[in-house]
Amino acid sequence: MPVEFLGIATTSDASETTDRTTAPFDKKYLERIVRAHEDNGWTRVLFAYGSSGPEPSALAAWTAARLDSVELLLAHRPNVSYPTFAAKSFATLDQLSEGRLSVHFITGGNDHEQRREGDTLTKDERYARTQEYIQVVKKAWSSTEPFDHHGSFYDLDDFLLDTKPFEGRTPTISFGGSSDAAFRVGAAEADIYAVWGEPLDRTAEQILRVRTEAAAAGRSTPPRIHAAFRPIIGATEELAWEKAHRILDRIEARKAAAGGVLSRRHPIDKPENAGSQRLLEIAAQGDRFDTALWTATARATGGAGNSNALVGTPETVAQALLAYYDLGVRIISARGYDLLDDATDFGRHVIPIVREEVARRDAEDASAQAA
């Protein structure tokens, strides 16, 4: 099965290592970074969501009008709009992009961040609401007759969406999380289940959990698996590791200059979300796992989001990614610390190796099945 690659779309060049050098909202930079992905073999880019950030669906629409082929993954929090409005917005954006939209639903693992936009539900209540929200969105996309919905969180009558997604398709839904509630909801509703990069054995455990929960929900086909990493590549192993330690030093320097924090959204110590807790537990056991996984960046950032790195030459990083492919990972998210240059380098030097080897393996499997 072909492998897909997900990058990031941003309106500035700030990262954990880099103070912003662009304007706070730089639409020219947004076009440059998305074009770097489109021109270098990436499948799609993520428009992330934060309570204080720009509205991602507007960014995605602006991008769709300027770039022809890169796909758009829109992050969306159910607490910020009613599901019928969201279904309408998604269908409109899918029409504008001619079928390039996917939606990543974010339940929210940080109570304080959720309260910034008025969301006071508990974490388990948020997951229950997300499941109902996704179900309403799916029904709005597919229903040819007006429908009613009377649930725990949403109550509506006689709704029919006139503007459906492009050419009758259903946009792909992705979902992530490491809590029991996340696995239960995401495995039941999503097309893609997203996990953060962990050691191979831990990733295998999460994939098994997703498949088990999907079967329990009555699904014959489980979600595809998406795993996220921070690639750090160099021409030699020595140069890659020198680069990795410079990146770590820059993270620590920025953190020290900011009084021990990197983001208002994520605490360095004792994060609330299960995914970050898992990353910190792994980092406490050691810095290096398998052939290339490095956890020092996760420890330095408090396990904030996608924060475990893969370090090495392009060939080393590609072979590490292929080991995840062998476990069942079909979508690889990669984001460097120098956002623009790293997107270009990863696309030029790593993606072709992974794609070529996946194609070779798929051809061998097809030949074996035919025989």
Side-chain angles (χ1 to χ4, degrees):
M1 179 181 292
V3 63
E4 300 176 358
F5 292 90
L6 171 68
I8 189 75
T10 66
T11 56
S12 82
D13 64 351
S15 76
E16 297 93 330
T17 64
T18 306
D19 288 322
R20 186 182 65 238
T21 64
T22 63
F25 186 100
D26 190 330
K27 62 184 181 182
K28 291 183 179 178
Y29 181 82
L30 172 62
E31 183 171 352
R32 286 179 65 203
I33 194 167
V34 178
R35 194 172 297 281
H37 287 84
E38 183 172 80
D39 290 346
N40 289 284
W42 297 76
T43 311
R44 63 180 62 88
V45 291
L46 169 68
F47 296 84
Y49 190 94
S51 61
S52 59
E55 206 288 299
S57 66
L59 300 181
W62 188 86
T63 301
R66 285 160 178 80
L67 291 102
D68 298 326
S69 61
V70 70
E71 297 178 21
L72 317 169
L73 178 58
L74 178 66
H76 181 77
R77 285 186 187 167
N79 61 293
V80 298
S81 70
Y82 212 71
T84 49
F85 175 81
K88 186 186 308 181
S89 299
F90 302 150
T92 303
L93 182 51
D94 197 53
Q95 286 285 347
L96 289 171
S97 65
E98 297 185 336
R100 287 186 278 155
L101 180 70
S102 299
V103 184
H104 181 69
F105 286 93
I106 302 173
T107 297
N110 182 302
D111 289 346
H112 184 68
E113 167 69 5
Q114 295 300 122
R115 285 197 294 270
R116 286 185 172 128
E117 294 189 288
D119 188 2
T120 60
L121 298 185
T122 66
K123 187 174 181 180
D124 284 347
E125 289 171 336
R126 292 199 296 268
Y127 275 109
R129 176 183 61 191
T130 297
Q131 183 165 24
E132 185 178 332
Y133 194 100
I134 293 173
Q135 290 169 348
V136 173
V137 168
K138 286 180 178 178
K139 193 165 187 179
W141 284 341
S142 62
S143 181
T144 58
E145 299 292 335
F147 68 91
D148 303 338
H149 176 86
H150 306 293
S152 300
F153 300 92
Y154 303 104
D155 197 8
L156 57 102
D157 296 307
D158 198 38
F159 182 77
L160 178 64
L161 186 61
D162 291 333
T163 300
K164 297 289 198 295
F166 185 70
E167 293 186 345
R169 71 188 290 269
T170 299
T172 299
I173 289 173
S174 72
F175 190 94
S178 297
S179 66
D180 289 342
F183 282 118
R184 185 173 61 252
V185 173
E189 303 295 342
D191 303 298
I192 295 169
Y193 199 97
V195 298
W196 288 332
E198 296 186 3
L200 290 166
D201 59 344
R202 311 294 180 86
T203 302
E205 292 171 0
Q206 292 200 86
I207 292 172
L208 178 60
R209 179 70 185 277
V210 171
R211 291 173 176 171
T212 300
E213 293 286 356
R219 297 183 64 175
S220 58
T221 302
R224 289 181 292 154
I225 302 298
H226 156 168
F229 304 93
R230 305 300 291 270
I232 302 174
I233 60 175
T236 67
E237 295 295 320
E238 181 179 1
L239 289 173
W241 282 103
E242 288 177 0
K243 180 179 178 180
H245 287 288
R246 287 197 303 272
I247 285 170
L248 183 60
D249 289 345
R250 290 166 65 190
I251 292 172
E252 294 292 359
R254 285 202 73 203
K255 193 166 61 174
V261 298
L262 284 171
S263 168
R264 293 176 64 244
R265 294 172 55 189
H266 186 88
I268 295 295
D269 298 317
K270 298 180 180 179
E272 295 177 28
N273 60 306
S276 294
Q277 292 168 9
R278 285 177 64 97
L279 294 188
L280 291 179
E281 289 169 4
I282 293 166
Q285 297 168 20
D287 281 353
R288 296 180 66 170
F289 293 83
D290 306 319
T291 60
L293 190 73
W294 193 47
T295 66
T297 45
R299 184 177 60 252
T301 59
N306 171 18
S307 52
N308 271 345
L310 291 175
V311 183
T313 64
E315 293 77 12
T316 296
V317 171
Q319 290 302 318
L321 291 172
L322 287 162
Y324 287 93
Y325 180 86
D326 289 341
L327 290 180
V329 173
R330 294 296 179 264
I331 297 139
I332 294 165
S333 173
R335 172 166 55 97
Y337 292 93
D338 184 335
L339 300 178
L340 185 59
D341 289 345
D342 287 347
T344 300
D345 288 346
F346 186 86
R348 288 178 179 173
H349 302 299
V350 179
I351 288 178
I353 299 173
V354 177
R355 282 217 169 103
E356 182 178 353
E357 180 59 22
V358 167
R360 186 188 68 79
R361 295 179 187 191
D362 287 349
E364 288 181 352
D365 290 344
S367 295
Q369 291 174 9

